[in-house]
Amino acid sequence: VFTPLGDLKKFPEGATVLDFAFDIHSAVGASCIGAKINGRNVPIRHKLKNGDKVEILRSKNQTPNPDWLNYVATSKAKSKIKVILKEAKMKDAERGKEILKRRFKNWKLEFQDPNIRKLIRHYKLKDSIDLYSDVAKEKLDLLEIKSILTEQHTKEEPKQVSIQEDIAKRIIRPQEKKADDCLIIDN
């Protein structure tokens, strides 16, 4: 395919407008909203053909989304999209972490790993970045988070006692049962 200035660009079969845009520059690809191919407007998922003259259309408000990974054929474009998506997720995570810190302070709860791990387990998330990102995107209800954490604090002490007793029983019982079968050295 050709650029508006007539430069030749080679792509694998099935390459789209997005592949072309990311080949030009990652900033061009990230802000791509479509293209003019041979003078005709086409969407970003339009597949390129031999001999096409491609002019990229851009918008300042455009940002990549995960669906774009389905529209590209080149590994260069896929990797650049993944990097941009990861950076956006990290920004959301930073914002979400700050929101949670402020809420924890208001609720008079400690912003510590056990509380965060409890929330990650409850919502079945992969890691804390997913949790913070979901908080920033308002996918998680902050009042529900508060109730989960306050429920944990009220039930935490009895659970610890029962866990300690359970561990002690597990350690003592197997040794008593196996007294005939094994040789105990040093106590």
Side-chain angles (χ1 to χ4, degrees):
V1 295
F2 297 95
T3 66
L5 299 176
D7 295 334
L8 178 67
K9 299 280 184 177
K10 292 183 180 182
F11 294 99
E13 189 174 343
T16 63
V17 168
L18 273 178
D19 289 302
F20 182 86
F22 276 102
D23 189 67
I24 301 296
H25 194 276
S26 57
V28 174
S31 61
C32 178
I33 58 169
K36 278 190 176 184
I37 296 183
N38 303 324
R40 210 178 85 229
N41 286 339
V42 295
I44 58 175
R45 61 184 174 274
H46 179 80
K47 292 187 179 180
L48 302 173
K49 296 178 187 78
N50 282 335
D52 283 344
K53 184 178 178 184
V54 183
E55 180 183 344
I56 299 297
L57 303 174
R58 300 171 62 188
S59 170
K60 292 178 184 177
N61 299 330
Q62 180 72 304
T63 57
N65 65 52
D67 291 339
W68 284 18
L69 293 170
N70 301 325
Y71 303 149
V72 293
T74 61
S75 59
K76 181 178 181 179
K78 282 183 183 178
S79 66
K80 287 182 179 181
I81 291 170
K82 286 179 184 177
V83 166
I84 292 169
L85 291 173
K86 189 172 183 179
E87 287 173 359
K89 187 172 185 177
M90 293 304 288
K91 285 180 184 176
D92 285 343
E94 284 295 319
R95 205 164 31 96
K97 187 175 183 178
E98 289 302 316
I99 291 169
L100 265 184
K101 276 185 179 180
R102 277 188 261 122
R103 289 300 173 115
F104 272 53
K105 188 176 180 181
N106 290 345
W107 298 331
K108 295 181 177 36
L109 295 172
E110 304 250 347
F111 189 78
Q112 294 178 341
D113 283 345
N115 289 337
I116 301 304
R117 276 189 252 121
K118 169 82 173 176
L119 293 172
I120 292 169
R121 275 194 310 272
H122 177 78
Y123 290 111
K124 297 175 182 154
L125 299 171
K126 208 167 45 170
D127 56 16
S128 60
I129 292 172
D130 289 340
L131 174 71
Y132 300 144
S133 180
D134 286 353
V135 167
K137 293 176 183 175
E138 297 179 358
K139 290 183 178 178
L140 301 178
D141 183 25
L142 292 172
L143 295 176
E144 184 181 354
I145 288 174
K146 180 182 179 184
S147 68
I148 292 165
L149 293 174
T150 53
E151 174 184 311
Q152 175 204 12
H153 286 298
T154 57
K155 294 183 179 179
E156 186 174 352
E157 292 176 19
K159 284 183 180 179
Q160 284 181 348
V161 172
S162 64
I163 291 172
Q164 290 172 353
E165 290 174 2
D166 188 44
I167 291 171
K169 289 176 185 177
R170 287 183 192 174
I171 293 171
I172 295 170
R173 284 184 189 156
Q175 288 180 354
E176 291 172 355
K177 291 178 183 177
K178 295 181 181 180
D180 303 338
D181 298 348
C182 66
L183 175 65
I184 299 175
I185 301 173
D186 289 337
N187 298 333

PDB file of all heavy atoms in Angstrom, residues 40-68:
ATOM      1  N   ARG A  40     -11.868   7.299  -0.411  1.00  0.00           N
ATOM      2  CA  ARG A  40     -13.133   6.848   0.208  1.00  0.00           C
ATOM      3  C   ARG A  40     -12.920   6.605   1.708  1.00  0.00           C
ATOM      4  O   ARG A  40     -11.953   5.955   2.093  1.00  0.00           O
ATOM      5  CB  ARG A  40     -13.557   5.539  -0.481  1.00  0.00           C
ATOM      6  CG  ARG A  40     -15.039   5.341  -0.513  1.00  0.00           C
ATOM      7  CD  ARG A  40     -15.441   4.062  -1.250  1.00  0.00           C
ATOM      8  NE  ARG A  40     -15.378   2.971  -0.283  1.00  0.00           N
ATOM      9  CZ  ARG A  40     -14.751   1.809  -0.496  1.00  0.00           C
ATOM     10  NH1 ARG A  40     -14.146   1.568  -1.620  1.00  0.00           N
ATOM     11  NH2 ARG A  40     -14.750   0.887   0.423  1.00  0.00           N
ATOM     12  N   ASN A  41     -13.811   7.093   2.558  1.00  0.00           N
ATOM     13  CA  ASN A  41     -13.700   6.872   4.001  1.00  0.00           C
ATOM     14  C   ASN A  41     -14.000   5.417   4.347  1.00  0.00           C
ATOM     15  O   ASN A  41     -14.981   4.844   3.861  1.00  0.00           O
ATOM     16  CB  ASN A  41     -14.667   7.778   4.766  1.00  0.00           C
ATOM     17  CG  ASN A  41     -14.222   9.212   4.787  1.00  0.00           C
ATOM     18  OD1 ASN A  41     -13.053   9.523   4.580  1.00  0.00           O
ATOM     19  ND2 ASN A  41     -15.163  10.118   5.032  1.00  0.00           N
ATOM     20  N   VAL A  42     -13.144   4.838   5.231  1.00  0.00           N
ATOM     21  CA  VAL A  42     -13.329   3.454   5.676  1.00  0.00           C
ATOM     22  C   VAL A  42     -13.063   3.376   7.180  1.00  0.00           C
ATOM     23  O   VAL A  42     -12.351   4.211   7.730  1.00  0.00           O
ATOM     24  CB  VAL A  42     -12.402   2.467   4.924  1.00  0.00           C
ATOM     25  CG1 VAL A  42     -12.745   2.405   3.446  1.00  0.00           C
ATOM     26  CG2 VAL A  42     -10.953   2.825   5.117  1.00  0.00           C
ATOM     27  N   PRO A  43     -13.626   2.369   7.865  1.00  0.00           N
ATOM     28  CA  PRO A  43     -13.387   2.214   9.307  1.00  0.00           C
ATOM     29  C   PRO A  43     -11.999   1.627   9.590  1.00  0.00           C
ATOM     30  O   PRO A  43     -11.317   1.157   8.671  1.00  0.00           O
ATOM     31  CB  PRO A  43     -14.484   1.233   9.737  1.00  0.00           C
ATOM     32  CG  PRO A  43     -14.817   0.462   8.507  1.00  0.00           C
ATOM     33  CD  PRO A  43     -14.595   1.392   7.357  1.00  0.00           C
ATOM     34  N   ILE A  44     -11.620   1.616  10.866  1.00  0.00           N
ATOM     35  CA  ILE A  44     -10.280   1.148  11.253  1.00  0.00           C
ATOM     36  C   ILE A  44     -10.064  -0.334  10.986  1.00  0.00           C
ATOM     37  O   ILE A  44      -8.934  -0.773  10.820  1.00  0.00           O
ATOM     38  CB  ILE A  44      -9.982   1.454  12.744  1.00  0.00           C
ATOM     39  CG1 ILE A  44     -11.011   0.813  13.656  1.00  0.00           C
ATOM     40  CG2 ILE A  44      -9.868   2.934  12.986  1.00  0.00           C
ATOM     41  CD1 ILE A  44     -10.733   0.968  15.131  1.00  0.00           C
ATOM     42  N   ARG A  45     -11.105  -1.120  10.910  1.00  0.00           N
ATOM     43  CA  ARG A  45     -10.952  -2.565  10.705  1.00  0.00           C
ATOM     44  C   ARG A  45     -10.955  -2.970   9.232  1.00  0.00           C
ATOM     45  O   ARG A  45     -10.896  -4.149   8.908  1.00  0.00           O
ATOM     46  CB  ARG A  45     -12.014  -3.329  11.488  1.00  0.00           C
ATOM     47  CG  ARG A  45     -13.430  -3.032  11.106  1.00  0.00           C
ATOM     48  CD  ARG A  45     -14.423  -3.766  12.002  1.00  0.00           C
ATOM     49  NE  ARG A  45     -15.769  -3.355  11.716  1.00  0.00           N
ATOM     50  CZ  ARG A  45     -16.376  -2.313  12.249  1.00  0.00           C
ATOM     51  NH1 ARG A  45     -15.754  -1.580  13.141  1.00  0.00           N
ATOM     52  NH2 ARG A  45     -17.606  -2.005  11.926  1.00  0.00           N
ATOM     53  N   HIS A  46     -11.012  -1.992   8.338  1.00  0.00           N
ATOM     54  CA  HIS A  46     -11.021  -2.258   6.895  1.00  0.00           C
ATOM     55  C   HIS A  46      -9.694  -2.909   6.487  1.00  0.00           C
ATOM     56  O   HIS A  46      -8.612  -2.430   6.830  1.00  0.00           O
ATOM     57  CB  HIS A  46     -11.230  -0.963   6.114  1.00  0.00           C
ATOM     58  CG  HIS A  46     -11.232  -1.143   4.633  1.00  0.00           C
ATOM     59  ND1 HIS A  46     -12.333  -1.600   3.951  1.00  0.00           N
ATOM     60  CD2 HIS A  46     -10.264  -0.950   3.709  1.00  0.00           C
ATOM     61  CE1 HIS A  46     -12.043  -1.673   2.660  1.00  0.00           C
ATOM     62  NE2 HIS A  46     -10.785  -1.279   2.497  1.00  0.00           N
ATOM     63  N   LYS A  47      -9.768  -4.012   5.738  1.00  0.00           N
ATOM     64  CA  LYS A  47      -8.561  -4.717   5.286  1.00  0.00           C
ATOM     65  C   LYS A  47      -7.978  -4.036   4.051  1.00  0.00           C
ATOM     66  O   LYS A  47      -8.714  -3.676   3.124  1.00  0.00           O
ATOM     67  CB  LYS A  47      -8.880  -6.180   5.000  1.00  0.00           C
ATOM     68  CG  LYS A  47      -9.223  -6.935   6.261  1.00  0.00           C
ATOM     69  CD  LYS A  47      -9.370  -8.407   6.034  1.00  0.00           C
ATOM     70  CE  LYS A  47      -9.691  -9.056   7.378  1.00  0.00           C
ATOM     71  NZ  LYS A  47      -9.853 -10.478   7.271  1.00  0.00           N
ATOM     72  N   LEU A  48      -6.671  -3.893   4.055  1.00  0.00           N
ATOM     73  CA  LEU A  48      -5.965  -3.237   2.959  1.00  0.00           C
ATOM     74  C   LEU A  48      -5.778  -4.199   1.783  1.00  0.00           C
ATOM     75  O   LEU A  48      -5.640  -5.406   1.976  1.00  0.00           O
ATOM     76  CB  LEU A  48      -4.604  -2.738   3.450  1.00  0.00           C
ATOM     77  CG  LEU A  48      -4.627  -1.773   4.631  1.00  0.00           C
ATOM     78  CD1 LEU A  48      -3.217  -1.488   5.113  1.00  0.00           C
ATOM     79  CD2 LEU A  48      -5.338  -0.487   4.260  1.00  0.00           C
ATOM     80  N   LYS A  49      -5.729  -3.616   0.585  1.00  0.00           N
ATOM     81  CA  LYS A  49      -5.507  -4.398  -0.635  1.00  0.00           C
ATOM     82  C   LYS A  49      -4.286  -3.827  -1.364  1.00  0.00           C
ATOM     83  O   LYS A  49      -3.926  -2.670  -1.164  1.00  0.00           O
ATOM     84  CB  LYS A  49      -6.734  -4.330  -1.546  1.00  0.00           C
ATOM     85  CG  LYS A  49      -7.975  -4.954  -0.953  1.00  0.00           C
ATOM     86  CD  LYS A  49      -9.169  -4.803  -1.903  1.00  0.00           C
ATOM     87  CE  LYS A  49     -10.444  -5.264  -1.270  1.00  0.00           C
ATOM     88  NZ  LYS A  49     -11.017  -4.304  -0.342  1.00  0.00           N
ATOM     89  N   ASN A  50      -3.687  -4.635  -2.198  1.00  0.00           N
ATOM     90  CA  ASN A  50      -2.533  -4.174  -2.982  1.00  0.00           C
ATOM     91  C   ASN A  50      -2.873  -2.921  -3.765  1.00  0.00           C
ATOM     92  O   ASN A  50      -3.945  -2.837  -4.379  1.00  0.00           O
ATOM     93  CB  ASN A  50      -2.072  -5.262  -3.964  1.00  0.00           C
ATOM     94  CG  ASN A  50      -1.262  -6.333  -3.280  1.00  0.00           C
ATOM     95  OD1 ASN A  50      -0.656  -6.104  -2.248  1.00  0.00           O
ATOM     96  ND2 ASN A  50      -1.271  -7.519  -3.871  1.00  0.00           N
ATOM     97  N   GLY A  51      -1.962  -1.945  -3.711  1.00  0.00           N
ATOM     98  CA  GLY A  51      -2.128  -0.731  -4.505  1.00  0.00           C
ATOM     99  C   GLY A  51      -2.958   0.355  -3.864  1.00  0.00           C
ATOM    100  O   GLY A  51      -3.111   1.432  -4.447  1.00  0.00           O
ATOM    101  N   ASP A  52      -3.521   0.114  -2.662  1.00  0.00           N
ATOM    102  CA  ASP A  52      -4.331   1.139  -1.988  1.00  0.00           C
ATOM    103  C   ASP A  52      -3.471   2.342  -1.598  1.00  0.00           C
ATOM    104  O   ASP A  52      -2.322   2.195  -1.170  1.00  0.00           O
ATOM    105  CB  ASP A  52      -4.982   0.582  -0.715  1.00  0.00           C
ATOM    106  CG  ASP A  52      -6.187  -0.297  -0.990  1.00  0.00           C
ATOM    107  OD1 ASP A  52      -6.720  -0.241  -2.114  1.00  0.00           O
ATOM    108  OD2 ASP A  52      -6.593  -1.032  -0.064  1.00  0.00           O
ATOM    109  N   LYS A  53      -4.044   3.519  -1.723  1.00  0.00           N
ATOM    110  CA  LYS A  53      -3.422   4.745  -1.240  1.00  0.00           C
ATOM    111  C   LYS A  53      -4.158   5.115   0.047  1.00  0.00           C
ATOM    112  O   LYS A  53      -5.358   5.387   0.023  1.00  0.00           O
ATOM    113  CB  LYS A  53      -3.535   5.857  -2.276  1.00  0.00           C
ATOM    114  CG  LYS A  53      -2.835   7.123  -1.870  1.00  0.00           C
ATOM    115  CD  LYS A  53      -2.941   8.180  -2.963  1.00  0.00           C
ATOM    116  CE  LYS A  53      -2.266   9.462  -2.509  1.00  0.00           C
ATOM    117  NZ  LYS A  53      -2.430  10.516  -3.513  1.00  0.00           N
ATOM    118  N   VAL A  54      -3.433   5.093   1.188  1.00  0.00           N
ATOM    119  CA  VAL A  54      -4.057   5.209   2.507  1.00  0.00           C
ATOM    120  C   VAL A  54      -3.681   6.523   3.182  1.00  0.00           C
ATOM    121  O   VAL A  54      -2.501   6.863   3.295  1.00  0.00           O
ATOM    122  CB  VAL A  54      -3.630   4.022   3.420  1.00  0.00           C
ATOM    123  CG1 VAL A  54      -4.331   4.113   4.766  1.00  0.00           C
ATOM    124  CG2 VAL A  54      -3.917   2.700   2.747  1.00  0.00           C
ATOM    125  N   GLU A  55      -4.712   7.235   3.637  1.00  0.00           N
ATOM    126  CA  GLU A  55      -4.526   8.460   4.427  1.00  0.00           C
ATOM    127  C   GLU A  55      -5.265   8.249   5.753  1.00  0.00           C
ATOM    128  O   GLU A  55      -6.469   7.979   5.770  1.00  0.00           O
ATOM    129  CB  GLU A  55      -5.104   9.652   3.680  1.00  0.00           C
ATOM    130  CG  GLU A  55      -4.966  10.959   4.419  1.00  0.00           C
ATOM    131  CD  GLU A  55      -5.628  12.119   3.674  1.00  0.00           C
ATOM    132  OE1 GLU A  55      -5.919  11.976   2.473  1.00  0.00           O
ATOM    133  OE2 GLU A  55      -5.861  13.147   4.332  1.00  0.00           O
ATOM    134  N   ILE A  56      -4.548   8.346   6.876  1.00  0.00           N
ATOM    135  CA  ILE A  56      -5.114   8.084   8.206  1.00  0.00           C
ATOM    136  C   ILE A  56      -5.887   9.293   8.704  1.00  0.00           C
ATOM    137  O   ILE A  56      -5.429  10.434   8.597  1.00  0.00           O
ATOM    138  CB  ILE A  56      -3.998   7.727   9.220  1.00  0.00           C
ATOM    139  CG1 ILE A  56      -3.254   6.468   8.776  1.00  0.00           C
ATOM    140  CG2 ILE A  56      -4.549   7.564  10.630  1.00  0.00           C
ATOM    141  CD1 ILE A  56      -4.105   5.223   8.726  1.00  0.00           C
ATOM    142  N   LEU A  57      -7.071   9.048   9.259  1.00  0.00           N
ATOM    143  CA  LEU A  57      -7.879  10.084   9.911  1.00  0.00           C
ATOM    144  C   LEU A  57      -7.709   9.928  11.417  1.00  0.00           C
ATOM    145  O   LEU A  57      -7.800   8.811  11.939  1.00  0.00           O
ATOM    146  CB  LEU A  57      -9.352   9.930   9.524  1.00  0.00           C
ATOM    147  CG  LEU A  57      -9.664   9.978   8.028  1.00  0.00           C
ATOM    148  CD1 LEU A  57     -11.133   9.664   7.790  1.00  0.00           C
ATOM    149  CD2 LEU A  57      -9.300  11.330   7.450  1.00  0.00           C
ATOM    150  N   ARG A  58      -7.471  11.051  12.107  1.00  0.00           N
ATOM    151  CA  ARG A  58      -7.170  10.998  13.542  1.00  0.00           C
ATOM    152  C   ARG A  58      -8.103  11.889  14.351  1.00  0.00           C
ATOM    153  O   ARG A  58      -8.717  12.811  13.818  1.00  0.00           O
ATOM    154  CB  ARG A  58      -5.729  11.448  13.800  1.00  0.00           C
ATOM    155  CG  ARG A  58      -4.700  10.605  13.119  1.00  0.00           C
ATOM    156  CD  ARG A  58      -3.307  11.196  13.217  1.00  0.00           C
ATOM    157  NE  ARG A  58      -2.878  11.292  14.598  1.00  0.00           N
ATOM    158  CZ  ARG A  58      -1.769  11.901  14.993  1.00  0.00           C
ATOM    159  NH1 ARG A  58      -0.986  12.471  14.118  1.00  0.00           N
ATOM    160  NH2 ARG A  58      -1.445  11.940  16.261  1.00  0.00           N
ATOM    161  N   SER A  59      -8.188  11.581  15.657  1.00  0.00           N
ATOM    162  CA  SER A  59      -8.950  12.414  16.582  1.00  0.00           C
ATOM    163  C   SER A  59      -8.205  12.478  17.908  1.00  0.00           C
ATOM    164  O   SER A  59      -7.664  11.471  18.373  1.00  0.00           O
ATOM    165  CB  SER A  59     -10.341  11.831  16.808  1.00  0.00           C
ATOM    166  OG  SER A  59     -10.993  12.505  17.858  1.00  0.00           O
ATOM    167  N   LYS A  60      -8.184  13.646  18.530  1.00  0.00           N
ATOM    168  CA  LYS A  60      -7.517  13.806  19.829  1.00  0.00           C
ATOM    169  C   LYS A  60      -8.220  13.001  20.920  1.00  0.00           C
ATOM    170  O   LYS A  60      -7.614  12.594  21.895  1.00  0.00           O
ATOM    171  CB  LYS A  60      -7.486  15.282  20.228  1.00  0.00           C
ATOM    172  CG  LYS A  60      -6.612  16.132  19.371  1.00  0.00           C
ATOM    173  CD  LYS A  60      -6.674  17.590  19.817  1.00  0.00           C
ATOM    174  CE  LYS A  60      -5.855  18.461  18.887  1.00  0.00           C
ATOM    175  NZ  LYS A  60      -5.937  19.888  19.244  1.00  0.00           N
ATOM    176  N   ASN A  61      -9.520  12.793  20.763  1.00  0.00           N
ATOM    177  CA  ASN A  61     -10.307  12.105  21.787  1.00  0.00           C
ATOM    178  C   ASN A  61     -10.252  10.585  21.674  1.00  0.00           C
ATOM    179  O   ASN A  61     -10.770   9.886  22.536  1.00  0.00           O
ATOM    180  CB  ASN A  61     -11.763  12.550  21.718  1.00  0.00           C
ATOM    181  CG  ASN A  61     -11.907  14.039  21.963  1.00  0.00           C
ATOM    182  OD1 ASN A  61     -11.117  14.630  22.684  1.00  0.00           O
ATOM    183  ND2 ASN A  61     -12.885  14.650  21.338  1.00  0.00           N
ATOM    184  N   GLN A  62      -9.666  10.057  20.622  1.00  0.00           N
ATOM    185  CA  GLN A  62      -9.624   8.602  20.417  1.00  0.00           C
ATOM    186  C   GLN A  62      -8.564   7.944  21.302  1.00  0.00           C
ATOM    187  O   GLN A  62      -7.466   8.474  21.467  1.00  0.00           O
ATOM    188  CB  GLN A  62      -9.317   8.307  18.941  1.00  0.00           C
ATOM    189  CG  GLN A  62      -9.237   6.837  18.606  1.00  0.00           C
ATOM    190  CD  GLN A  62     -10.586   6.151  18.623  1.00  0.00           C
ATOM    191  OE1 GLN A  62     -11.290   6.203  19.624  1.00  0.00           O
ATOM    192  NE2 GLN A  62     -10.941   5.521  17.543  1.00  0.00           N
ATOM    193  N   THR A  63      -8.927   6.826  21.891  1.00  0.00           N
ATOM    194  CA  THR A  63      -7.971   6.009  22.645  1.00  0.00           C
ATOM    195  C   THR A  63      -8.180   4.549  22.264  1.00  0.00           C
ATOM    196  O   THR A  63      -9.300   4.142  21.969  1.00  0.00           O
ATOM    197  CB  THR A  63      -8.164   6.164  24.167  1.00  0.00           C
ATOM    198  OG1 THR A  63      -9.506   5.824  24.496  1.00  0.00           O
ATOM    199  CG2 THR A  63      -7.840   7.560  24.652  1.00  0.00           C
ATOM    200  N   PRO A  64      -7.120   3.762  22.276  1.00  0.00           N
ATOM    201  CA  PRO A  64      -7.255   2.343  21.926  1.00  0.00           C
ATOM    202  C   PRO A  64      -8.123   1.602  22.937  1.00  0.00           C
ATOM    203  O   PRO A  64      -8.170   1.958  24.114  1.00  0.00           O
ATOM    204  CB  PRO A  64      -5.818   1.820  21.993  1.00  0.00           C
ATOM    205  CG  PRO A  64      -4.961   3.017  21.860  1.00  0.00           C
ATOM    206  CD  PRO A  64      -5.721   4.143  22.474  1.00  0.00           C
ATOM    207  N   ASN A  65      -8.799   0.564  22.462  1.00  0.00           N
ATOM    208  CA  ASN A  65      -9.544  -0.301  23.370  1.00  0.00           C
ATOM    209  C   ASN A  65      -9.183  -1.750  23.059  1.00  0.00           C
ATOM    210  O   ASN A  65      -8.616  -2.041  22.001  1.00  0.00           O
ATOM    211  CB  ASN A  65     -11.057  -0.036  23.282  1.00  0.00           C
ATOM    212  CG  ASN A  65     -11.642  -0.376  21.939  1.00  0.00           C
ATOM    213  OD1 ASN A  65     -11.454  -1.470  21.425  1.00  0.00           O
ATOM    214  ND2 ASN A  65     -12.373   0.563  21.359  1.00  0.00           N
ATOM    215  N   PRO A  66      -9.464  -2.677  23.970  1.00  0.00           N
ATOM    216  CA  PRO A  66      -9.048  -4.073  23.786  1.00  0.00           C
ATOM    217  C   PRO A  66      -9.557  -4.730  22.503  1.00  0.00           C
ATOM    218  O   PRO A  66      -8.919  -5.648  21.987  1.00  0.00           O
ATOM    219  CB  PRO A  66      -9.625  -4.775  25.021  1.00  0.00           C
ATOM    220  CG  PRO A  66      -9.741  -3.706  26.046  1.00  0.00           C
ATOM    221  CD  PRO A  66     -10.054  -2.454  25.294  1.00  0.00           C
ATOM    222  N   ASP A  67     -10.674  -4.267  21.957  1.00  0.00           N
ATOM    223  CA  ASP A  67     -11.191  -4.826  20.701  1.00  0.00           C
ATOM    224  C   ASP A  67     -10.224  -4.625  19.535  1.00  0.00           C
ATOM    225  O   ASP A  67     -10.240  -5.388  18.577  1.00  0.00           O
ATOM    226  CB  ASP A  67     -12.543  -4.203  20.345  1.00  0.00           C
ATOM    227  CG  ASP A  67     -13.646  -4.625  21.290  1.00  0.00           C
ATOM    228  OD1 ASP A  67     -13.482  -5.665  21.959  1.00  0.00           O
ATOM    229  OD2 ASP A  67     -14.666  -3.924  21.355  1.00  0.00           O
ATOM    230  N   TRP A  68      -9.407  -3.605  19.620  1.00  0.00           N
ATOM    231  CA  TRP A  68      -8.471  -3.325  18.539  1.00  0.00           C
ATOM    232  C   TRP A  68      -7.514  -4.487  18.300  1.00  0.00           C
ATOM    233  O   TRP A  68      -7.017  -4.655  17.190  1.00  0.00           O
ATOM    234  CB  TRP A  68      -7.686  -2.062  18.836  1.00  0.00           C
ATOM    235  CG  TRP A  68      -8.449  -0.790  18.628  1.00  0.00           C
ATOM    236  CD1 TRP A  68      -9.799  -0.642  18.534  1.00  0.00           C
ATOM    237  CD2 TRP A  68      -7.898   0.510  18.488  1.00  0.00           C
ATOM    238  NE1 TRP A  68     -10.122   0.674  18.361  1.00  0.00           N
ATOM    239  CE2 TRP A  68      -8.975   1.404  18.333  1.00  0.00           C
ATOM    240  CE3 TRP A  68      -6.616   1.013  18.500  1.00  0.00           C
ATOM    241  CZ2 TRP A  68      -8.794   2.774  18.164  1.00  0.00           C
ATOM    242  CZ3 TRP A  68      -6.430   2.370  18.340  1.00  0.00           C
ATOM    243  CH2 TRP A  68      -7.502   3.241  18.172  1.00  0.00           C
TER     244      TRP A  68
END
